Amino acid sequence: MAKLLSCVLGPRLYKIYRERDSERAPSGVPETPTSVTTPTSSSWETYYQPRALEKHADSILALASVFWSISYYSSPFAFFYLYRKGYLSLSKVVPFSHYAGTLLLLLAGVACLRGIGRWTHPQYRQFITILEATHRNQSAENKRQLANYNFDFRSWPVDFHWEEPSSRKESRGGPSRRGVALLRPEPLHRGTADTLLNRVKKLPCQITSYLVAHTLGRRMLYPGSVYLLQKALMPVLLQGQARLVEECNGRRAKLLACDGNEIDTMFVDRRGTAEPQGQKLVICCEGNAGFYEVGCVSTPLEAGYSVLGWNHPGFAGSTGVPFPQNEANAMDVVVQFAIHRLGFQPQDIIIYAWSIGGFTATWAAMSYPDISAVILDASFDDLVPLALKVMPDSWRGLVTRTVRQHLNLNNAEQLCRYQGPVLLIRRTKDEIITTTVPEDIMSNRGNDLLLKLLQHRYPRVMADEGLRVVRQWLEASSQLEEASIYSRWEVEEDWCLSVLRSYQAEHGPDFPWSVGEDMSADGRRQLALFLAQKHLQNFEASHCTPFPAQNFQMPWHL
């Protein structure tokens, strides 16, 4: 009876992975009491095939879930319509509640029938036994057996806790349950006294900004968090997970962040291979509709690096909602997991981000300054210009206030706090992070990210002449035109390197540098072009084109 109840309340099982021979337990090792024999690939199909009762019950419950999601998103319009028609009176609501209660009882009965179908299926009973054993005892053997199954991630046991590192427990400066530290925007009206009257005046605007951010704004910014989109992508995500686990020997793990969100991660370890880059770990930060199953992890993976992918809060197996604070909390526990559980030193970690993932990448670089390098692909400096691009001009004040208070993705500000090597990848046909049209390459916000970084690190070089010549170089529409500008100013790379190395040897590596202070205008132009070329890599493609592994390279450094 207990097993039947477990089947009723248990998670949905999607797939049983092909077991790798290297993972099978040695035949001479006796089973522990909490261990269960796992299925072999020769006995069962890799995709779990539910029987008729479970299959049809699952379809009914999935359909009910979709209808509930549609009702949730359309509820404001539905309530307004019902109110106008007079259907919200007590005499109308009471019969409706009876219908709703009857429907819930029917769905509960369907769930029980699904549980009976699972109970009669030997594969599901085997799975639920392993899952229960793992929850009781998270031994290495039990976790290895559980990793052979792909199921609803909500039931996956937590593998790593944000407080697990001993340094976190002893330190008072670490993150609290309220979250890690973020850079806060400056007040819109500086110098204004924050009196009670001013607070009351601002209250309607603050309420409006809050409602916009938590309804329309968050879903526009992170469409991957919308349930209906995830439902449509489920077959693709399952296929991507299977590829990572079966072909790349990936290991899935659940991390618990300081805000209580559970973060879904996938780790592929290449340290045991002959490729030297396998000793380096690339942590991948996906875009606003990207998932590690089908995202940018494939680029460093094909290039031979060890890779750690993770999903934004509210994406696929991760819980929560993707607001900046939650995003930073998630990134913090991912980096802690890489250092304290996977055993990588910060000097062996590279952060690679695509598009909106640049926010968490730059936060990690700012918060963990010993990280080896940062690579930002198709990213931007600040969210406000891009938000204004897609919203009506009359909403300018509301959009700016909403972004600054609730969705402040200040990538450039965070990146300037990092002292290590940086590479920016600019897509010359990007249709997402341009503020006009893709053909107008100067409206690409990656240009602004580069300029702000160089102006912070080399303020004397990036003064008048240097800034103008870098803008000319950024405006070039082809590699031939870029090379023409580079040669026109007769950039001597050996001279630039010697100047930079001499300054570093004398003054140390910490930015900002005052190099170029007593230099001629021609010298500053040469240095500015040299530095811009070293920090920016052009890629002739649109925003969502996968970045080729052969183009994946480490940032330049002295």
Side-chain angles (χ1 to χ4, degrees):
M1 192 65 184
K3 187 66 67 179
L4 176 59
L5 182 61
S6 298
C7 291
V8 172
L9 301 177
R12 185 175 181 181
L13 178 60
Y14 298 116
K15 181 165 178 149
I16 302 170
Y17 295 124
R18 294 191 298 270
E19 188 177 12
R20 297 171 289 277
D21 291 337
S22 60
E23 284 192 352
R24 294 179 186 175
S27 57
V29 177
E31 285 189 356
T32 61
T34 55
S35 299
V36 183
T37 304
T38 54
T40 61
S41 58
S42 58
S43 60
W44 286 345
E45 297 291 335
T46 56
Y47 275 101
Y48 173 67
Q49 300 293 336
R51 291 177 176 172
L53 183 60
E54 180 185 356
K55 182 178 179 180
H56 295 312
D58 248 336
S59 299
I60 294 172
L61 293 174
L63 188 62
S65 177
V66 170
F67 278 134
W68 168 256
S69 182
I70 294 173
S71 302
Y72 174 77
Y73 290 122
S74 60
S75 57
F77 305 102
F79 274 112
F80 180 74
Y81 175 80
L82 293 173
Y83 176 76
R84 292 293 301 271
K85 293 293 183 179
Y87 291 142
L88 294 182
S89 61
L90 188 61
S91 59
K92 300 287 179 62
V93 170
V94 171
F96 176 78
S97 65
H98 292 163
Y99 297 142
T102 303
L103 181 61
L104 289 175
L105 287 175
L106 289 174
L107 291 176
V110 171
C112 291
L113 291 175
R114 181 181 65 176
I116 294 172
R118 291 171 172 176
W119 185 63
T120 60
H121 199 303
Q123 285 178 300
Y124 194 90
R125 293 189 66 173
Q126 182 89 45
F127 155 69
I128 203 68
T129 302
I130 294 172
L131 180 62
E132 290 177 338
T134 308
H135 277 290
R136 288 193 301 269
N137 178 14
Q138 293 193 32
S139 65
E141 175 62 17
N142 285 341
K143 285 187 175 182
R144 184 193 67 81
Q145 293 176 9
L146 189 64
N148 289 325
Y149 297 92
N150 188 356
F151 55 96
D152 189 337
F153 201 62
R154 287 174 293 185
S155 297
W156 189 286
V158 173
D159 297 288
F160 183 83
H161 193 281
W162 68 282
E163 283 185 323
E164 188 169 319
S166 57
S167 59
R168 287 289 177 90
K169 296 176 181 178
E170 297 168 3
S171 173
R172 295 184 179 181
S176 65
R177 294 189 181 276
R178 298 181 61 183
V180 297
L182 290 180
L183 298 180
R184 299 298 176 186
E186 293 184 359
L188 293 177
H189 305 287
R190 300 181 65 180
T192 305
D194 191 20
T195 62
L196 179 61
L197 181 59
N198 283 330
R199 290 184 182 182
V200 172
K201 288 180 179 179
K202 293 177 185 176
L203 189 59
C205 295
Q206 291 175 345
I207 293 174
T208 305
S209 295
Y210 179 88
L211 292 176
V212 170
H214 286 74
T215 53
L216 180 67
R218 190 259 296 175
R219 291 172 176 84
M220 286 183 65
L221 188 59
Y222 289 95
S225 64
V226 176
Y227 172 77
L228 294 177
L229 178 62
Q230 295 183 33
K231 195 74 175 175
L233 291 175
M234 181 61 73
V236 179
L237 299 182
L238 292 177
Q239 187 177 4
Q241 278 185 8
R243 181 183 67 85
L244 291 170
V245 171
E246 295 178 341
E247 298 178 17
C248 303
N249 215 5
R251 301 205 305 265
R252 200 176 185 189
K254 177 186 283 189
L255 318 183
L256 185 65
C258 60
D259 52 13
N261 288 336
E262 298 170 346
I263 307 304
D264 183 5
T265 68
M266 180 70 73
F267 171 56
V268 178
D269 194 353
R270 293 284 178 78
R271 285 174 289 188
T273 64
E275 301 182 41
Q277 57 266 39
Q279 303 301 315
K280 297 282 187 179
L281 175 69
V282 178
I283 299 179
C284 298
C285 304
E286 300 291 345
N288 64 354
F291 303 81
Y292 71 70
E293 293 89 341
V294 290
C296 64
V297 297
S298 59
T299 297
L301 205 54
E302 292 174 14
Y305 291 88
S306 295
V307 173
L308 176 60
W310 61 283
N311 281 329
H312 297 283
F315 282 51
S318 297
T319 62
V321 288
F323 281 103
Q325 183 66 66
N326 297 346
E327 288 276 293
N329 296 340
M331 188 65 191
D332 179 66
V333 75
V334 168
V335 176
Q336 289 291 320
F337 176 68
I339 296 172
H340 296 282
R341 177 61 61 84
L342 301 182
F344 287 91
Q345 296 299 315
Q347 296 82 1
D348 294 324
I349 296 176
I350 299 115
I351 307 294
Y352 172 49
W354 173 60
S355 189
I356 210 170
F359 172 74
T360 48
T362 54
W363 180 88
M366 173 185 71
S367 304
Y368 294 88
D370 294 333
I371 281 173
S372 174
V374 174
I375 304 172
L376 303 179
D377 179 10
S379 198
F380 52 88
D381 62 322
D382 187 42
L383 182 62
V384 170
L386 297 173
L388 293 174
K389 162 193 167 183
V390 298
M391 301 302 289
D393 192 57
S394 58
W395 290 23
R396 175 176 291 271
L398 175 63
V399 170
T400 303
R401 186 183 305 107
T402 301
V403 169
R404 287 285 176 251
Q405 292 181 357
H406 303 284
L407 303 166
N408 190 36
L409 305 186
N410 49 345
N411 297 352
E413 186 180 6
Q414 293 184 151
L415 187 61
C416 289
R417 305 290 183 98
Y418 176 60
Q419 298 284 329
V422 175
L423 176 64
L424 307 180
I425 300 170
R426 181 181 68 165
R427 295 169 179 249
T428 57
K429 300 176 183 177
D430 201 310
E431 72 282 14
I432 302 298
I433 65 166
T434 49
T435 53
T436 55
V437 293
E439 293 76 19
D440 182 11
I441 197 169
M442 280 308 291
S443 71
N444 188 310
R445 296 304 299 189
N447 300 332
D448 300 85
L449 183 57
L450 173 69
L451 292 174
K452 289 177 180 178
L453 177 66
L454 294 181
Q455 285 177 311
H456 170 76
R457 292 189 168 190
Y458 311 98
R460 301 294 188 271
V461 173
M462 292 300 294
D464 304 326
E465 301 88 355
L467 182 59
R468 278 196 296 269
V469 76
V470 171
R471 286 188 181 278
Q472 290 176 14
W473 180 77
L474 290 171
E475 202 170 355
S477 57
S478 66
Q479 290 184 351
L480 185 62
E481 194 174 344
E482 285 180 21
S484 174
I485 295 172
Y486 204 71
S487 61
R488 184 196 311 166
W489 295 105
E490 300 177 345
V491 178
E492 298 179 17
E493 295 197 353
D494 291 339
W495 175 81
C496 293
L497 281 172
S498 66
V499 169
L500 293 172
R501 284 170 178 163
S502 297
Y503 182 91
Q504 185 184 52
E506 184 177 351
H507 299 90
D510 292 341
F511 298 109
W513 288 7
S514 60
V515 63
E517 193 170 18
D518 301 322
M519 193 177 289
S520 66
D522 284 344
R524 285 197 294 270
R525 290 190 189 98
Q526 286 191 52
L527 266 182
L529 280 174
F530 174 80
L531 291 167
Q533 188 193 50
K534 293 298 184 182
H535 285 81
L536 182 72
Q537 175 185 353
N538 278 326
F539 177 44
E540 293 188 14
S542 60
H543 189 76
C544 295
T545 304
F547 191 67
Q550 62 268 23
N551 292 359
F552 188 78
Q553 62 186 32
M554 289 299 103
W556 169 82
H557 66 281
L558 284 174

